Amino acid sequence: MSEIRIQEVQERAQLMDKLVELWEVSVRATHHFLSDTEVNQIKEYVPQAVGSGMPGRISG
């Protein structure tokens, strides 16, 4: 079984980097129909979507 670790985040930028990294790993593992280019294009909007408090909506 995997171990779950809870870490205190000192900076918002550090948290955002980790969330974007988690998003990318998850998308690449589950959305095989997306090309690398498409994932990278969408990835640009992830910080905005996460920061808006509405992770289900990405506005351009």
Side-chain angles (χ1 to χ4, degrees):
M1 183 184 299
S2 298
E3 180 179 315
I4 297 175
R5 296 183 322 147
I6 298 174
Q7 295 178 304
E8 183 177 350
V9 176
Q10 300 298 322
E11 296 182 28
R12 181 173 168 78
Q14 180 186 15
L15 174 60
M16 186 61 71
D17 290 345
K18 291 291 186 183
L19 291 172
V20 171
E21 180 182 335
L22 176 62
W23 173 87
E24 183 173 4
V25 169
S26 300
V27 167
R28 290 189 185 279
T30 59
H31 291 66
H32 303 287
F33 54 89
L34 293 174
S35 69
D36 285 341
T37 301
E38 291 169 318
V39 171
N40 289 327
Q41 288 173 338
I42 297 167
K43 183 179 174 179
E44 293 178 30
Y45 296 98
V46 173
Q48 178 184 351
V50 171
S52 73
M54 300 176 71
R57 295 179 60 184
I58 298 178
S59 58

